[in-house]
Structure formats: C-alpha cells, structure tokens
Amino acid sequence: MTDPARQAFHGFEQQPLREYAERAYLDYSMYVVLDRALPFIGDGLKPVQRRIIYSMSELGLGAGSKPKKSARTVGDVIGKYHPHGDSACYEALVLMAQPFSFRYPLIDGQGNFGSSDDPKSFAAMRYTESKLTPIAEVLLGELGQGTTDWTPNFDGTLEEPSWLPARLPHLLLNGTTGIAVGMATDVPPHNLNEIVSALVHLIDDPNASVAELCEHVKGPDYPTTAEIITAPSDLRNIYETGNGSVRARATFKKEAGHIVIDALPHQVSPSKVIEQIAAQMRAKKLPWLEDIRDESDHANPVRVVLIPRSNRVDAEQLMGHLFATTDLERSYRVNLNVIGLDGRPQVKNLKMLLSEWLRFRQDTVTRRLNHRLQKVERRLHLLEGLLVAFLNLDEVIRIIRTEDDAKAALIARFALSEDQAEYILETKLKQLARLEEMKIRGEQDELAKERDKILSILQSSAKLKKLVKDELLADAKKFGDARRSPLVQRGAAQAIDETELVPSEPMTVVLSEKGWVRAAKGHDVDGATLNYREGDGLLAFARTRSTQQVAFLDTEGRAYSTPVHTLPSARGNGEPLTGRFSPAAGSSFVTVASGDNDTRFVLASTHGYGFVTRFENLTGRNKAGKAMLNLSAGSAVLTPSLVANPETDRIVAVTSAGNMLAIPASELPELDKGKGNKIIEIPKAKLSTERVVAVVAVGPGNTLQVRSGQRTMNLSFKDLETYLGTRATRGHLLPRGWQKVEGLDVQ
C-alpha cells in the first residue's frame, strides 16, 4: 500500500532542512572560495578582473587603440560574462587603472579615476574612458593559441577563457586581497625584475631554497616610495611560511625648518593622516607642532608640511611619535593563500608559488607550441596539394570545368586528401595561375624548419626551459622597472610619553560633594569660591601639576586615577567621575590626592588604622579602581596627607573626643595596600560615638593648625612634643575649649 504522504509529494525530493542548509552553505562556500575571492595562481586574477580584461581585448581596446567609454566595457562584461552589479564591476575596472593601487596597472584610464587621497572619488563610468595598458599584453598575447580551456558563459551562448595565459606571474606582481568563507588571502605586490630574476634562478636550479630565492626577491614592492622597515629576517620568514606582516613607514625631509612628508604607505590617505595629526593638536598632545598644511598637487601627489614651534624641536623624535600614533606607519598582513594548479586553496611559500607558476608557464608554452605545430603541419599538408595543382594546372582546370564532382575527381586523379582538394577548389583561379613553384617550395622549407624547431623544443626539457627563460627575460627588459619601496632597517617607532607632551603647570583639582571634578590653573585657587551646580559644593581639592596623575578614593577604600591634564577646565562645572570610572553600586568618591610616583602619603581610617604608601600605588588603569585601604565595619576613609620625609616627620592623629597623639612617621609601615597599623587608640566601647577626625604628617618646618569652630590653634613642630607618645595609645587631651576638633591643616 502506498504511503499517502509520499503520494502527496510525488515528483518532489524530500530532504531534512538541516541537510539541505548544510549542503547549500557548503556549495556557496566553495563558490566564494574558488570563483570569487581567491585568485588562481596561473594568471593571478579574480573572475571579474579576468572577464574585464578579456572583454576589453574583444572590444579591440588594446594599448595602441583609441579608448572607449568605460560604460561600454562594463555593459559587455555584465551582459556577456559577469551577471552581477554594474557598480561593483566598474569599481574593479577602476582599481586596475589606479597607479596608486596597482603596482603595474592593466588598464589605461582617461578621466577622473580617483586619487590616493580618496580612491573611490572616481567619476561615473559614463564619463570615463579606458583601454588596456601595454603590460596587459603579457596576459592576453597567447590567448588565441590554444593555451587555455574555454567554458560556456552564464547563459551558454558564448565561451570565455577559464584563465589567461600569463607570461609573467601577475599574482605576485600586483598582489591581491580577498575574504572568502573561512579563509582569506593577502598577497603583496612585488617588483617585476626581482620576480623574473628569482624565476630564472629557479629554472637553473630547481632545488634552490627559499633563502636563496630571497636573495632575488628582497621583499614586497608597493606602488609608493614609502620605506619598508620590516627586518630582512622577518621578510624571509614570511616567504618561508606564507604568513606574516610587513611594516611600511612614510618618508620625510627637512626644508627651511619645516618637516615635509613626501611619501605615504600604500593605501594611506593624506587627508586621513592630516586629520589624525590635527586631532592630536586639538587635544593638546602635540605642543611641539604649530601648524600642518597639505600642499599636495598634481606635480607632488603627497606633500604634507609640518611646521614645528621652534628650531629646537627634535624632528626625529616628533616623527617617531607620529609614526607610532598615526597611519604614517602601517602594517600589512601577508597571507599567501591561493588556488593552485590542482584547484585547491593552499597557503604557499615563495618557492611553492614560483615553482607552481613555472609548471603553469611550461604547460602553457607546451600547449602553444603544439597548437602552432598543428597549424604548421596543416599548412605543409595544404602546400603539398597546392604544389601538385600548380604542376598539373591544366589538368586541374579541366577537371574543375568538366567533372560534376570535381572534389572527388581531384582526390582520385592526384591522390589528394579531402583538405587538400577542398583548399585547391577554394583557391581563386587568378591566384592559382600566379602561383610559382619556387614560392611554394620556399614556404615549405621555412615551415619545415619551424616544425623541426618546435619538435626539438617539445622533445627536450632543457630547450623548453630555455625558451621559457628567454621569454621571461625579454618581458622583464620590456616592462621591468626599478624598485619603488626602499628596504630600510629602522627601529620601532616610539610614542612620546604623554607627560612630556604636556607643559608642566601648577594645577588645583577640585572634587565636589556629588562627585564632579575639574582642574583650575594655579595653586592659589579657592575651591569654595567656585560656582557649583545647584545642591552641590566643595568636597576636597589637591594641589598638583598638569604633568602628574591625580587619585580619588571612594567610600570602599578603592583608588582611581587619571592624568591631571585630561580633566575639564574649572571654567565650567566639570564632569562626573562616574563617566571615567566604574565604582561599586552605593559607593561615592570622598577625597583626592596627587603627586609624583615616589611621593609618600599616609592613608588612614576613622577607626585609627593607617600606613604610609607611595603615590604610585594609588594609580592604575582599571576603571573599577584598585583595592587600597581595607576598612573595618563602620569606618571611613580620611584625606591622605603628604609625608615629606618619613625619617623626620611626625604623624599626628586627633579624635572627635579631643585626644591628639603625635608619633614618628617611621613607626608606621610602608605598604602597597592593606589596613595598616593602629595609630591612635579608640576604646571598643566608644567606637560607635568616637572617631578619628584627621591624620596628618607634620615636618620640622611646618606648623599644625587645629580647627575648632571658627577658631584655629597653631602648633609648631616643637609644640607637638607635648603630644608625643607611643603608637596605638590614647594620646593627650587638647586644652579645654579645643576638644571639638573639626580638622587639622599643615602649613
């Protein structure tokens, strides 16, 4: 009995969606890899490029012809061979015509084909005209000589070449990039003379190593005169593995105190570089630079002028900073992943690339010779019949005039082949009468010599290699040129430290109660007199310099830091610190400190514990801050106090009950982080009501100010001897009337 479900879908193939999707994706992947993104090693072209070049040759747009509208070429390409978008096809055509994109352009464009500043600023295809360049002959010269396989076009009405019979390895000359499914390719351009030299060496010595080939192929050769600064050992490693990266650096010279950049790395836009440098100038990160000008024109495609602020500016150091922070120095990925003669993609080293291309070239030459041999032998065969006709001209004419089947009669009478008889019958009588035996025999001799020469080459591997070598050297002599990208060994570019770029100025960092921060120039700024947002006011401030870092402590005892010069100006309300940092939920910023890395501060909590630490420990790049002061339950962070000299300074702590204790600073440990040691004793029974108000460091030349209400009591360093005691004790009570201490200041 037939299954009803099968009856319902009679004539249709049933397949699980998972299997169908997997097969469809794999088919698409193979198409992208083999027919779109990765180049074939033989001619080094992607399908769209191959079709453009072939269509232009079919339109008669050779190097010696007049150019035609690019729209005509694009129309032919997408209408006959490449049924895709016209804009993508035209962009591929333009790319092959741009001398700043292709090392050896294949198309000669007339009109606006873009500029190095904006490669995609080319005019529409209805405005531009194009034809092939002379070097395109290297790809097309042997096309009609039986050197390629032909495949039907997309609709089966025409045929197109599966590849072009390149006489030179175009893949390495112009390079290519492509992204397929699961793989990519990045082949840099090279110098024609160097590649041919390596090929000749490989023909002479098939066992040559990659290192020996690298003596000929020094490195990539981009269409720009920017320096390649990759070390020779790294370049050799690229050619041995097929992977790596190449670094190119702009070149500059000094003119009348100015710095003139006259060459940029490949595919780097002058306008983008100028924008990058201008952005640093606006951010005040290039105080050495006064102005930047773009003086590029038709005569000088790249001329960017940097004007230093003075003659004392070190141009090398400034350019080193720009190399490290802008596209004046750029890295290019190298991935020699191409489709080989076996039709499979593979990452190949230099020897594999050159050896495989030489096999392709030898096969192409062999096919060309065999094709020519067939033509020569056919011509000799026809000439033999023609000679018979000339020697028996009257009889031939009689047969043609009297016989009904002249062809059969000629074959029977003179023992001719069908081709010979057909050729005699197609020859005009006037031409036949003019034929001379000497001319026929002369042509036979020349063709016989050519046949023997071809046969000798086909039968000798050495002669075939010599022919390939001679043709390579002839093309190198015709199309070769000097290297453009000089290979120069340079050290790595170093960005100038940010603090060196910022002028050292006195600054005052002001933190508001709601966590807004700003920086004012000078140390005489009174934070209390600044304008604040409604409901906000001064919380803390720190005197520092524009070249230093500033650290903020939150209620959890975590420290956060940022460069002072990056803070907003005090002319406004500043910015919230939560925009720069990510404190824990519920915590808030309570105090601020600043200094050099080796500056020491005493950190303490309201429960009387503390330690000395270097300012460097308060700094870090983590937006979530770093744990600094461990707090016991109910305690809070006190404002850090500067310790000028741990050997002579005294640490003074005062509680809300009026107890004050002074101890030598050397009695406190120096820690990177932690809880510290007990400085002043607060009985456990009083921890809920009594707290430490302030902990400060006082030096021999300082005066301690004790603030109580509107009054201030000044104590000299000698006066503190009254309050000297042992660490972790209660200290001494302040005089009556001064026991409600609000804070301590050091002058």
Side-chain angles (χ1 to χ4, degrees):
M1 184 175 178
T2 307
D3 186 355
R6 291 187 179 275
Q7 277 188 328
F9 289 96
H10 179 70
F12 295 90
E13 178 185 356
Q14 295 187 64
Q15 186 179 13
L17 180 61
R18 179 180 60 80
E19 294 180 10
Y20 171 78
E22 181 180 350
R23 187 182 66 183
Y25 185 70
L26 284 174
D27 289 345
Y28 169 73
S29 302
M30 292 303 296
Y31 161 72
V32 172
V33 170
L34 300 177
D35 291 330
R36 195 167 74 188
L38 267 59
F40 171 56
I41 193 171
D43 59 11
L45 296 173
K46 297 179 183 179
V48 63
Q49 296 173 323
R50 186 179 302 120
R51 288 163 175 165
I52 290 171
I53 298 297
Y54 175 65
S55 290
M56 293 183 75
S57 69
E58 289 294 286
L59 286 170
L61 295 176
S65 63
K66 290 181 62 177
K68 290 183 179 178
K69 288 288 186 183
S70 300
R72 173 74 185 277
T73 299
V74 172
D76 258 40
V77 173
I78 65 176
K80 293 180 178 179
Y81 309 110
H82 197 73
H84 297 276
D86 59 338
S87 59
C89 180
Y90 179 52
E91 189 168 331
L93 184 152
V94 169
L95 187 69
M96 290 190 286
Q98 292 176 334
F100 48 84
S101 295
F102 261 41
R103 179 63 178 83
Y104 299 96
L106 299 175
I107 294 175
D108 181 6
Q110 295 191 16
N112 178 11
F113 274 77
S115 65
S116 57
D117 200 35
D118 187 3
K120 295 196 175 183
S121 62
F122 48 84
M125 58 185 170
R126 62 182 178 273
Y127 298 121
T128 62
E129 296 181 342
S130 54
K131 63 177 181 177
L132 295 171
T133 58
I135 200 171
E137 171 69 16
V138 168
L139 295 171
L140 295 163
E142 301 172 357
L143 188 58
Q145 301 177 27
T147 51
T148 65
D149 293 340
W150 295 76
T151 56
N153 69 337
F154 63 91
D155 61 2
T157 59
L158 297 167
E159 286 196 330
E160 59 176 317
S162 300
W163 64 83
L164 297 182
R167 297 201 306 265
L168 291 172
H170 175 266
L171 173 65
L172 287 171
L173 298 186
N174 275 322
T176 189
T177 61
I179 299 176
V181 177
M183 61 181 64
T185 183
D186 289 279
V187 182
H190 292 80
N191 183 267
L192 191 156
N193 286 333
E194 292 182 6
I195 294 295
V196 168
S197 179
L199 288 169
V200 169
H201 181 79
L202 196 57
I203 292 173
D204 293 337
D205 181 11
N207 296 320
S209 65
V210 173
E212 290 172 337
L213 294 175
C214 285
E215 294 178 6
H216 301 271
V217 182
K218 305 294 185 182
D221 188 22
Y222 294 98
T224 170
T225 56
E227 298 173 344
I228 293 176
I229 62 171
T230 307
S233 58
D234 294 336
L235 290 174
R236 189 177 303 113
N237 184 62
I238 290 172
Y239 289 126
E240 287 177 346
T241 63
N243 280 296
S245 63
V246 176
R247 293 195 72 81
R249 179 181 288 182
T251 59
F252 67 95
K253 57 188 177 183
K254 299 175 184 177
E255 285 185 6
H258 297 168
I259 302 170
V260 179
I261 301 169
D262 52 10
L264 294 174
H266 182 46
Q267 294 178 332
V268 171
S269 163
S271 60
K272 183 179 180 182
V273 169
I274 292 171
E275 182 182 339
Q276 291 173 334
I277 296 174
Q280 292 191 42
M281 293 172 67
R282 287 193 298 271
K284 297 182 179 179
K285 294 183 178 180
L286 279 178
W288 295 350
L289 206 56
E290 182 177 332
D291 195 13
I292 180 171
R293 293 199 304 259
D294 185 3
E295 296 183 358
S296 305
D297 54 24
H298 182 72
N300 301 288
V302 176
R303 184 177 169 84
V304 178
V305 181
L306 306 179
I307 304 174
R309 289 193 179 274
S310 73
N311 293 330
R312 295 191 302 274
V313 171
D314 187 335
E316 297 290 340
Q317 188 179 13
L318 173 60
M319 290 304 297
H321 173 78
L322 294 178
F323 289 144
T325 58
T326 70
D327 284 347
L328 287 175
E329 183 174 312
R330 187 170 177 181
S331 180
Y332 300 90
R333 194 166 68 98
V334 177
N335 181 19
L336 305 180
N337 185 16
V338 300
I339 299 171
L341 298 180
D342 58 359
R344 297 172 180 268
Q346 183 186 6
V347 177
K348 303 177 186 292
N349 62 29
L350 180 62
K351 183 177 180 180
M352 293 169 66
L353 281 173
L354 296 179
S355 299
E356 201 160 334
W357 185 85
L358 278 176
R359 287 204 304 274
F360 165 80
R361 181 60 190 156
Q362 289 176 8
D363 291 344
T364 301
V365 172
T366 301
R367 292 179 65 157
R368 186 189 80 201
L369 292 174
N370 281 321
H371 181 267
R372 179 58 185 166
L373 182 61
Q374 291 176 6
K375 283 197 167 187
V376 168
E377 289 179 338
R378 173 175 169 76
R379 180 62 180 168
L380 284 169
H381 181 64
L382 295 177
L383 286 175
E384 286 178 10
L386 203 58
L387 185 60
V388 170
F390 177 77
L391 295 175
N392 302 276
L393 187 56
D394 292 339
E395 181 68 11
V396 169
I397 293 173
R398 185 193 66 77
I399 291 174
I400 294 173
R401 290 181 63 188
T402 60
E403 295 293 334
D404 292 335
D405 189 352
K407 180 178 177 181
L410 287 172
I411 292 173
R413 173 69 180 80
F414 300 109
L416 300 173
S417 68
E418 286 195 15
D419 288 343
Q420 288 173 324
E422 190 74 38
Y423 185 65
I424 291 170
L425 291 172
E426 288 177 356
T427 304
K428 292 181 181 179
L429 185 61
K430 183 173 68 172
Q431 292 177 317
L432 199 60
R434 281 209 320 263
L435 288 174
E436 298 177 12
E437 182 181 359
M438 293 301 294
K439 286 185 178 180
I440 296 174
R441 294 191 185 280
E443 187 177 353
Q444 281 180 322
D445 291 342
E446 289 180 7
L447 291 175
K449 289 179 182 178
E450 185 179 355
R451 179 189 59 193
D452 294 342
K453 182 179 179 182
I454 293 173
L455 286 171
S456 69
I457 294 173
L458 290 173
Q459 293 166 2
S460 171
S461 174
K463 289 183 178 180
L464 181 63
K465 288 182 178 179
K466 184 178 184 305
L467 177 61
V468 171
K469 184 202 296 186
D470 290 343
E471 290 178 351
L472 286 171
L473 292 172
D475 283 333
K477 184 177 180 181
K478 185 176 181 181
F479 300 111
D481 58 3
R483 165 175 280 276
R484 290 189 193 171
S485 301
L487 296 164
V488 183
Q489 286 189 267
R490 305 278 191 194
Q494 294 291 330
I496 301 173
D497 189 87
E498 199 169 3
T499 57
E500 293 183 38
L501 295 170
V502 177
S504 180
E505 298 176 330
M507 304 287 287
T508 300
V509 177
V510 179
L511 177 65
S512 77
E513 294 171 350
K514 293 189 175 181
W516 286 63
V517 68
R518 47 187 155 166
K521 287 186 178 182
H523 284 169
D524 55 350
V525 177
D526 185 356
T529 62
L530 296 176
N531 293 325
Y532 293 88
R533 295 157 57 90
E534 187 175 352
D536 201 0
L538 174 66
L539 175 63
F541 69 91
R543 293 186 174 93
T544 179
R545 300 196 72 81
S546 55
T547 54
Q548 295 177 331
Q549 295 258 330
V550 60
F552 304 91
L553 290 167
D554 68 4
T555 50
E556 303 291 327
R558 298 184 70 82
Y560 311 77
S561 66
T562 190
V564 172
H565 74 268
T566 65
L567 296 176
S569 169
R571 294 191 184 96
N573 291 320
E575 66 177 46
L577 280 176
T578 51
R580 290 179 179 244
F581 309 121
S582 304
S587 66
S588 58
F589 296 98
V590 293
T591 189
V592 59
S594 183
D596 294 327
N597 285 339
D598 290 329
T599 302
R600 287 168 171 78
F601 288 88
V602 56
L603 297 186
S605 68
T606 55
H607 279 183
Y609 288 85
F611 59 91
V612 174
T613 191
R614 294 167 66 243
F615 179 74
E616 185 178 23
N617 297 321
L618 294 168
T619 62
R621 296 183 178 181
N622 194 345
K623 290 187 68 175
K626 58 189 294 188
M628 195 66 210
L629 182 62
N630 295 342
L631 300 173
S632 53
S635 67
V637 178
L638 293 174
T639 299
S641 178
L642 175 67
V643 180
N645 189 336
E647 300 299 324
T648 59
D649 286 6
R650 292 170 179 170
I651 304 297
V652 179
V654 64
T655 71
S656 56
N659 290 81
M660 190 164 78
L661 174 66
I663 62 172
S666 57
E667 291 190 13
L668 272 187
E670 184 170 323
L671 305 175
D672 291 345
K673 62 180 180 178
K675 183 178 181 179
N677 291 358
K678 183 181 289 187
I679 301 173
I680 188 169
E681 172 69 18
I682 298 179
K684 289 185 179 180
K686 295 185 178 182
L687 278 177
S688 59
T689 58
E690 187 179 349
R691 61 182 177 84
V692 175
V693 175
V695 174
V696 296
V698 183
N702 297 132
T703 299
L704 179 67
Q705 295 180 336
V706 181
R707 288 185 281 109
S708 178
Q710 299 295 321
R711 299 181 303 163
T712 300
M713 177 172 62
N714 293 326
L715 297 174
S716 67
F717 188 78
K718 186 174 180 59
D719 295 337
L720 290 177
E721 292 179 359
T722 305
Y723 300 93
L724 278 175
T726 306
R727 183 183 62 79
T729 60
R730 284 291 282 167
H732 301 274
L733 273 172
L734 288 165
R736 188 181 300 274
W738 294 92
Q739 294 174 1
K740 291 185 179 181
V741 180
E742 294 181 359
L744 300 177
D745 295 321
V746 180
Q747 296 293 328

